[in-house]
């Protein structure tokens, strides 16, 4: 064996739609066996990046390889080596789970001798063995997603791309999907590349890249990212937010942000700071909360906004994403 | 990594599985089989019987229903083939098209599989109408069934290719259905399915000759008439064939026209799907 190839590698990967730069030069390296999370608000360029890596969209600049294959020049090799689970369902509801899987096996050229075993395997992994002969149209949303994950694994891909695997599912189903993903990384020799805009899910990843406005802002492990923030998050509600923010800037030398109706700022030793705050702010305070840094804070500290506000502001980019989806 | 031969073998496997899916869906959807039968049966038995009263039951000793029978066969194929092609728009809307588009297969395999699937299901539908032959006074004969089945298969393939070609451009089911309704009815009316293509006013004569469906209906009618025992005068009147400026177009040329158009539209459909992401 030669040196193990990177599961995913991109240099200056970019895609522009008319005047809008959906992805503006992305560099990333994903090692084999990693669970790599691509985190960002809707419209940040996650889906477009994943589509370029999966050979569905041609990059307008830059290069990328998946499992060592070039995404432009070796399209079919890339496609054979990856599994794909999209945000939108791509199952045939008229067929049974088994028929959907068989069809996939044929399209991906899985050797006939192993199809049966492989199907039993993946259906067992996502807990759908007893429903294998039911039509997919009778499945719930969560079951469909699980079946899609099973199908994505059927041809034993080296890299599994999951685009928002839990979006639109209820919390219980989300948890169960994650259980399957975690089990999967132990059972199969596979790299998982996923996008999400749920902060709590990003914690499950080995490494995270935060993407905002088409650029990767930072890449690291969730722990390192949280440690890099170094400060606690303090959120207060006051009678006069503007005055409170001015006071915070002037007297305490912090950089407050008004997000979701709360004044939020980061400061080292948050709990110890609260008494001082009450004594010196000069604006009546209604409530205070102090929390350890979460990935939300990481996102905030690297992009200057919360992921939800970024989404609310990303109207024009959303449109680009829709365009990209409909292509 | 893969040679050309491997690649081709894999694509053929893909053609088969796309075709198989059409079959599974066809046989699962019994309601669709029945509803697609309603229209040709209405034409044959209601319109055919109703109009017989005007023509005093028979034309030159031949029942009107017998005359319209080849038209009803073509009609059954026409609507089923279009329904098959519509499924590609449907697949796009419900996401399954993407599963096929992202697979490591050549795009032509998807298009060919779809067209073969549409052709098979539509001809099977034709077979159901074929089974009614006795009721309209057409004798059951193996050669007739095989000839007509082959001709319907060809017609169905061309129609599905046409449908898939348009479906590559039209992404909404409603728009696709509306366009087809707009095209299908004139094509059907002008094809000679309902009346003989002789002694027509010049303008209508020209339009019927332009209608591609004409060249698919005529061979079926010739095959049916070859198995009937009717006076020569009736054959002359009711099965005049298609002529260009007095020259009767032979069956092989008619079939070649249908096949040629099918191949051309299949080619365009493949080119269009190669561009689609």
């Amino acid at each position: 064996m030669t040196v193990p190839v990177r599961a995913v590698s991109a240099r200056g990967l970019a895609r522009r739609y008319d005047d809008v730069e959906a992805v503006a030069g992305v560099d990333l390296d994903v090692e084999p066996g990693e669970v790599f999370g691509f985190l960002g608000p809707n419209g940040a360029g996650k889906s477009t990046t994943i589509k370029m890596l999966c050979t569905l969209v041609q990059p307008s600049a830059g290069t990328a390889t998946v499992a060592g294959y070039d995404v432009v020049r070796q399209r079919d090799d890339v496609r054979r080596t990856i599994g794909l689970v999209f945000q939108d369902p791509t199952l045939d509801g008229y067929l049974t789970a088994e028929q959907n899987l068989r069809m996939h096996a044929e399209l991906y050229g899985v050797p006939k001798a192993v199809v049966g075993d492989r199907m039993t395997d993946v259906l067992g992994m996502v807990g759908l063995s007893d429903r294998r002969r039911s039509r997919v149209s009778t499945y719930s949303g969560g079951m469909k997603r699980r079946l899609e994950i099973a199908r994505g694994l059927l041809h034993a891909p080296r890299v599994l791309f999951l685009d928002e695997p839990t979006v639109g599912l209820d919390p219980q189903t989300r948890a169960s999907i994650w259980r399957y993903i975690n089990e999967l990384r132990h059972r199969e020799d596979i790299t998982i590349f996923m996008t999400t805009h749920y902060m709590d899910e990003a914690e499950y990843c080995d490494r995270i890249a935060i993407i905002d406005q088409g650029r990767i802002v930072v890449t690291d492990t969730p722990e390192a990212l949280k440690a890099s923030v170094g400060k606690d998050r303090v959120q207060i509600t006051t009678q006069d937010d503007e005055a409170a923010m001015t006071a915070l800037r002037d007297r305490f030398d912090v950089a407050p942000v008004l997000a979701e109706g709360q004044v939020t700022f980061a400061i080292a030793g948050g709990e110890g700071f609260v008494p001082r705050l009450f004594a010196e702010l000069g604006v009546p305070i209604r409530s205070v909360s102090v929390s350890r840094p979460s990935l939300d804070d990481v996102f905030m500290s690297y992009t200057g906004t919360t992921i939800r506000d970024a989404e609310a502001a990303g109207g024009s980019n959303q449109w680009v994403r829709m365009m990209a989806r409909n292509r | 990594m893969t040679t050309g031969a491997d690649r081709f073998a894999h694509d053929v496997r893909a053609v088969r599985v796309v075709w198989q899916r059409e079959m599974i869906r066809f046989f699962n959807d019994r309601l669709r089989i029945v509803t697609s039968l309603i229209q040709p049966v209405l034409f044959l038995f209601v319109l055919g019987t109703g109009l017989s009263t005007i023509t005093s039951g028979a034309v030159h000793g031949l029942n009107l229903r017998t005359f319209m029978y080849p038209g009803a066969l073509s009609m059954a194929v026409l609507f089923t083939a279009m329904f098959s092609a519509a499924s590609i728009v449907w697949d796009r809307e419900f996401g399954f098209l993407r599963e096929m588009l992202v697979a490591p297969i050549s795009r032509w395999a998807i298009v060919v599989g779809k067209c073969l699937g549409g052709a098979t299901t539509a001809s099977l539908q034709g077979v159901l109408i074929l089974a009614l032959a006795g009721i309209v006074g057409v004798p059951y004969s193996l050669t007739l069934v095989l000839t007509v089945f082959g001709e319907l298969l060809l017609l169905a393939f061309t129609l599905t290719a046409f449908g898939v070609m348009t479906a590559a451009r039209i992404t909404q089911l409603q728009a696709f259905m509306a366009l087809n309704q707009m095209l299908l009815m004139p094509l059907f009316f002008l094809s000679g399915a309902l009346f003989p293509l002789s002694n027509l006013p010049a303008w209508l004569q020209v339009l019927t000759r332009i209608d591609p469906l004409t060249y698919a209906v005529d061979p079926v009618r010739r095959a049916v008439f070859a198995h009937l025992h009717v006076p020569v005068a009736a054959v002359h009147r009711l099965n005049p064939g298609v002529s260009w400026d007095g020259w009767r177009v032979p069956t092989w040329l008619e079939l070649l026209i249908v096949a040629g158009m099918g191949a051309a539209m299949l080619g365009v459909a493949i080119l269009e799907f190669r561009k689609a992401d």
Side-chain angles (χ1 to χ4, degrees):
Chain A
M1 281 290 281
T2 47
V3 194
V5 253
R6 287 222 163 89
V8 177
S9 176
R11 291 289 171 271
L13 199 63
R15 172 72 207 202
R16 122 189 315 284
Y17 290 113
D18 300 323
D19 284 347
V20 191
E21 193 123 59
V23 177
V26 159
D27 295 329
L28 53 88
D29 287 304
V30 180
E31 302 303 330
E34 253 188 319
V35 176
F36 190 86
F38 216 42
L39 181 69
N42 284 329
K46 288 180 312 224
S47 285
T48 308
T49 307
I50 217 169
K51 281 199 181 109
M52 287 193 278
L53 294 176
C54 297
T55 77
L56 299 181
V57 166
Q58 286 249 347
S60 37
T63 57
T65 60
V66 173
Y69 298 118
D70 187 286
V71 297
V72 177
R73 289 193 311 271
Q74 294 163 296
R75 229 164 108 133
D76 278 353
D77 291 318
V78 172
R79 287 182 178 198
R80 210 169 291 122
T81 337
I82 62 175
L84 276 174
V85 179
F86 297 105
Q87 273 180 53
D88 312 297
T90 61
L91 294 162
D92 186 345
Y94 286 94
L95 302 186
T96 65
E98 229 173 42
Q99 285 170 331
N100 267 289
L101 291 182
R102 269 195 199 286
M103 170 126 195
H104 183 87
E106 292 291 318
L107 291 175
Y108 282 77
V110 180
K112 285 221 165 37
V114 304
V115 174
D117 288 346
R118 204 54 214 157
M119 264 173 38
T120 309
D121 255 20
V122 294
L123 283 171
M125 196 184 306
V126 298
L128 288 174
S129 302
D130 49 335
R131 293 294 302 273
R132 57 194 294 169
R133 288 196 179 85
S134 308
R135 278 207 204 176
V136 172
S137 53
T138 65
Y139 278 28
S140 69
M143 288 164 72
K144 282 184 189 160
R145 202 63 58 91
R146 269 145 60 194
L147 181 59
E148 294 217 41
I149 294 176
R151 188 181 61 180
L153 293 169
L154 188 64
H155 55 286
R158 310 246 295 274
V159 186
L160 180 65
F161 286 92
L162 303 169
D163 193 7
E164 306 271 0
T166 58
V167 79
L169 299 177
D170 59 85
Q172 256 176 319
T173 316
R174 274 171 61 185
S176 81
I177 298 269
W178 269 104
R179 219 174 34 246
Y180 295 122
I181 293 176
N182 277 327
E183 202 184 303
L184 176 68
R185 58 195 293 201
H186 294 120
R187 286 191 37 178
E188 308 248 333
D189 178 21
I190 198 169
T191 309
I192 298 174
F193 187 108
M194 58 174 300
T195 66
T196 181
H197 65 285
Y198 293 122
M199 288 293 172
D200 49 338
E201 295 193 342
E203 308 252 5
Y204 294 108
C205 300
D206 295 322
R207 279 196 311 143
I208 303 169
I210 292 180
I211 182 166
D212 189 36
Q213 294 177 9
R215 279 171 216 285
I216 289 185
V217 196
V218 65
T219 310
D220 217 326
T221 63
E223 292 68 35
L225 286 174
K226 282 185 278 188
S228 76
V229 176
K231 295 170 178 171
D232 293 331
R233 172 163 63 159
V234 183
Q235 284 182 304
I236 57 174
T237 54
T238 65
Q239 286 192 347
D240 184 349
D241 289 341
E242 285 307 316
M245 285 175 63
T246 318
L248 281 167
R249 264 190 293 267
D250 295 350
R251 279 174 227 166
F252 303 107
D253 195 29
V254 293
V257 199
L258 189 62
E260 292 159 25
Q262 290 188 309
V263 177
T264 305
F265 56 93
I267 194 157
E271 276 111 347
F273 176 72
V274 172
R276 248 188 91 200
L277 186 68
F278 273 92
E280 296 174 32
L281 186 66
V283 178
I285 299 172
R286 287 213 195 95
S287 71
V288 179
S289 76
V290 179
S291 50
R292 298 269 166 256
S294 68
L295 283 174
D296 280 292
D297 303 304
V298 173
F299 189 84
M300 178 120 142
S301 82
Y302 283 99
T303 65
T305 169
T306 71
I307 199 156
R308 280 168 292 271
D309 282 350
E311 264 169 25
S316 66
N317 268 346
Q318 286 252 32
W319 184 77
V320 171
R321 197 174 74 102
M322 290 293 293
M323 295 273 297
R325 261 166 69 171
N326 291 336
R327 253 155 224 257
Chain B
M1 187 173 148
T2 44
T3 67
D6 282 350
R7 162 103 226 197
F8 185 73
H10 179 51
D11 282 338
V12 169
R13 212 175 147 184
V15 170
R16 211 192 56 215
V17 73
V18 173
W19 175 83
Q20 240 168 22
R21 172 167 172 261
E22 297 297 308
M23 292 299 117
I24 294 172
R25 290 186 65 156
F26 178 76
F27 286 112
N28 276 348
D29 198 353
R30 297 200 184 89
L31 185 66
R32 179 182 139 197
I33 300 179
V34 174
T35 51
S36 319
L37 277 178
I38 289 175
Q39 234 160 348
V41 166
L42 271 180
F43 263 86
L44 200 55
F45 292 102
V46 178
L47 196 65
T49 310
L51 288 180
S52 303
T53 59
I54 307 175
T55 56
S56 67
V59 190
H60 299 276
L62 188 73
N63 195 303
L64 189 64
R65 285 193 296 268
T66 315
F67 169 78
M68 278 168 72
Y69 184 59
L73 282 169
S74 314
M75 187 178 202
V77 170
L78 189 69
F79 285 96
T80 317
M82 276 306 154
F83 202 94
S84 278
S87 76
I88 220 165
V89 184
W90 187 268
D91 284 345
R92 192 199 314 269
E93 232 167 76
F94 288 87
F96 191 80
L97 184 63
R98 175 168 268 184
E99 155 80 353
M100 293 190 277
L101 291 180
V102 301
I105 53 170
S106 304
R107 291 289 165 85
W108 67 259
I110 302 171
V111 177
V112 171
K114 268 278 174 194
C115 290
L116 288 178
T120 319
T121 52
S123 338
L124 288 178
Q125 197 85 49
V127 168
L128 291 177
I129 302 287
L130 215 46
L132 302 176
I135 307 178
V136 298
V138 175
Y140 292 103
S141 124
L142 188 64
T143 45
L144 177 64
V145 170
L146 290 179
T147 314
V148 171
F149 182 74
E151 286 168 350
L152 292 182
L153 196 67
L154 180 66
L155 169 63
F157 184 83
T158 300
L159 286 168
T160 322
F162 170 73
V164 172
M165 180 181 82
T166 31
R169 289 289 170 116
I170 300 171
T171 51
Q172 277 174 323
L173 198 60
Q174 276 174 335
F176 183 81
M177 285 309 197
L179 179 84
N180 278 327
Q181 284 301 319
M182 202 183 77
L183 283 173
L184 288 191
M185 275 305 166
L187 282 179
F188 180 67
F189 280 141
L190 292 171
S191 68
L194 301 172
F195 51 81
L197 296 179
S198 58
N199 302 327
L200 296 173
W203 63 271
L204 191 53
Q205 176 98 4
V206 171
L207 286 180
T208 55
R209 270 28 170 206
I210 294 173
D211 182 358
L213 200 57
T214 299
Y215 302 97
V217 174
D218 192 51
V220 179
R221 176 159 295 136
R222 286 192 198 186
V224 170
F225 269 73
H227 287 79
L228 294 177
H229 301 286
V230 283
V232 182
V235 175
H236 192 70
R237 178 83 180 79
L238 297 173
N239 181 28
V242 180
S243 50
W244 290 338
D245 204 17
W247 179 64
R248 184 164 176 170
V249 185
T251 308
W252 66 265
L253 184 57
E254 290 179 327
L255 294 175
L256 194 67
I257 291 172
V258 178
M261 281 193 319
M265 290 188 291
L266 180 72
V268 174
I270 290 171
L271 283 180
E272 278 178 338
F273 270 94
R274 269 166 65 173
K275 283 182 285 181
D277 270 325

